[in-house]
Amino acid sequence: MQDVELLIDTFYNFKKEQDDDESQNLGDDALEEEEEEEDFGPAHLKVDFDDIIEILEKFHKDREDNAVNDQLVGNTRPKKKSNFETEEQKAEREKRKQKIFWEKLTTILSDQKLSVWKALDKALAKYY
């Protein structure tokens, strides 16, 4: 979730920095006209396609910097439980899977269906 928030902030900060740069380059009259035309809000973020790569690179750099800072400070994220198993545990799990598989295999045919297949086999045996 932190990555999503960082990505959104990166997009908005880039747009804000870009607008600030343009306002410095333009005069005060042009700036006032531009502010009146543009309705800036969460749904009105306008970014040029050419700038997306630059924004994503900045996001990636900021994300790596945050990870390094977290490690230096000692605020590591909680680690997931290890999924590594010993050989004995793997063998036991595989054995249970096979046992369940073969138990299910014995219930594929009910007694009624089995008797139908036996009758069919017996009837077809006459023609071979």
Side-chain angles (χ1 to χ4, degrees), residues 91-107:
E92 182 66 29
R93 185 171 45 91
E94 188 64 33
K95 189 176 179 181
R96 277 186 271 135
K97 280 184 178 179
Q98 287 182 4
K99 183 178 180 181
I100 292 170
F101 172 78
W102 287 108
E103 285 176 357
K104 286 182 178 180
L105 201 58
T106 60
T107 60

Side-chain angles (χ1 to χ4, degrees), residues 23-79:
S23 68
Q24 289 175 357
N25 293 338
L26 298 175
D28 292 333
D29 297 332
L31 179 62
E32 290 175 8
E33 291 176 12
E34 202 172 295
E35 286 179 359
E36 291 174 5
E37 292 176 7
E38 193 172 308
D39 185 8
F40 192 73
H44 299 287
L45 179 65
K46 295 178 184 175
V47 178
D48 292 331
F49 293 116
D50 299 332
D51 295 334
I52 291 178
I53 302 256
E54 187 177 341
I55 293 170
L56 292 176
E57 287 174 347
K58 183 173 179 356
F59 161 73
H60 184 66
K61 181 183 172 293
D62 291 346
R63 185 172 171 238
E64 287 180 346
D65 290 344
N66 287 346
V68 169
N69 289 340
D70 286 347
Q71 287 178 352
L72 290 175
V73 173
N75 296 338
T76 58
R77 294 180 183 159
K79 294 183 179 180

Side-chain angles (χ1 to χ4, degrees), residues 71-94:
Q71 287 178 352
L72 290 175
V73 173
N75 296 338
T76 58
R77 294 180 183 159
K79 294 183 179 180
K80 294 181 180 179
K81 185 178 177 183
S82 176
N83 291 334
F84 297 113
E85 299 176 335
T86 63
E87 293 298 322
E88 292 176 4
Q89 291 172 333
K90 286 180 184 178
E92 182 66 29
R93 185 171 45 91
E94 188 64 33

